[in-house]
Amino acid sequence: MDSYLHRGQRRQLIDELRARGGYDEKVLAVMANVPRHAFLDSSFHGWAYKDEAFRIGCEQTISQPSTVAWQTTELELLPRQHVLEIGTGSGYQAAVLSLLGGRVFTVERHKPLYRKAKLTLKKLRLDRIRLYLRDGSKGLPELAPFDRILATAGAAAVPPALREQLKVGGIMVIPVGPDGEEQSMLKIRRVSETEWTEEELGGCRFVPLVVS
């Protein structure tokens, strides 16, 4: 599944990201070992290690590697922390979080993507990741609070449920802004039971977070 060619292309991609600077080396080391092509249809395998986003069905995309590295770096994930991912998509981001040592709980609302991601992660023996088929904007209240929350879809506003499910001292990274326009990546810290701080990290574009 992971050919010599793929490994070489992956090394080149990680070298390019490292040269740009600003990414956590632990994140890059994990991404250097995750076969991104395994999360894409075979027709995209030749392009898997370009720094580009690709369609994966259901009008969703797999984020470009630099975005994955950026979001994951800003998440500041520590081993054994419980992390909630909103938008499983292909499962690639969940794989990165898991290999960083996170206890990953990931939510996807599209059944075809949920099933495909589950199968891909099983093939890669990443079977500690727990997948859920439901509305991500509501989080997983029965398993909250979470040390970290990462959203891979853009919300018009931060869903209140996700704010409440973040542990005091925890971090959430989420793109926020109108659909079809540039969004802002927010880094939210919960500093007390009633207080959160927000930091704008920069502009981005994500598929919309669908709220039912």
Side-chain angles (χ1 to χ4, degrees):
M1 180 181 287
D2 195 19
S3 69
Y4 179 81
L5 175 61
H6 288 137
R7 292 195 295 272
Q9 292 173 333
R10 196 158 62 245
R11 281 195 298 272
Q12 182 176 349
L13 168 65
I14 298 304
D15 286 345
E16 291 172 0
L17 295 180
R18 185 177 286 116
R20 295 181 198 176
Y23 305 120
D24 188 328
E25 183 58 37
K26 294 190 296 294
V27 173
L28 295 180
V30 164
M31 290 177 63
N33 288 300
V34 178
R36 187 176 187 242
H37 65 278
F39 296 88
L40 293 165
D41 289 337
S42 58
S43 58
F44 287 103
H45 282 190
W47 301 89
Y49 298 103
K50 300 286 186 182
D51 190 25
E52 298 177 15
F54 297 108
R55 293 285 178 182
I56 56 173
C58 301
E59 300 184 349
Q60 304 300 300
T61 61
I62 180 173
S63 295
Q64 63 192 87
S66 58
T67 300
V68 172
W70 179 31
Q71 282 195 289
T72 310
T73 293
E74 293 294 347
L75 198 64
E76 301 178 33
L77 182 63
L78 299 175
R80 295 181 294 282
Q81 285 187 326
H82 286 212
V83 54
L84 171 64
E85 181 194 26
I86 306 301
T88 309
S90 68
Y92 177 72
Q93 175 71 80
V96 171
L97 296 172
S98 180
L99 290 172
L100 278 167
R103 296 178 178 175
V104 182
F105 305 82
T106 180
V107 182
E108 175 57 57
R109 67 178 294 115
H110 298 286
K111 186 176 287 187
L113 297 183
Y114 164 82
R115 288 177 170 171
K116 189 171 183 179
K118 196 168 188 177
L119 180 61
T120 301
L121 292 168
K122 184 177 180 180
K123 286 180 178 178
L124 294 173
R125 298 182 180 179
L126 293 170
D127 48 12
R128 291 180 297 173
I129 298 170
R130 295 173 62 178
L131 293 85
Y132 297 83
L133 180 63
R134 61 173 77 177
D135 178 355
S137 68
K138 297 176 181 176
L140 291 172
E142 69 273 26
L143 295 172
F146 295 95
D147 300 290
R148 301 288 187 267
I149 298 177
L150 177 65
T152 60
V158 181
L162 299 186
R163 285 186 181 274
E164 291 298 333
Q165 290 173 37
L166 187 62
K167 185 181 291 186
V168 173
I171 295 171
M172 171 165 40
V173 175
I174 181 171
V176 175
D179 182 22
E181 299 180 21
E182 185 174 70
Q183 300 148 337
S184 179
M185 190 74 75
L186 297 185
K187 185 172 186 174
I188 299 171
R189 295 179 187 267
R190 187 168 191 174
V191 296
S192 74
E193 290 292 342
T194 58
E195 294 179 283
W196 295 259
T197 64
E198 292 186 3
E199 176 186 358
E200 292 193 10
L201 302 175
C204 57
R205 284 187 180 272
F206 281 77
V207 295
L209 176 64
V210 179
V211 179
S212 60

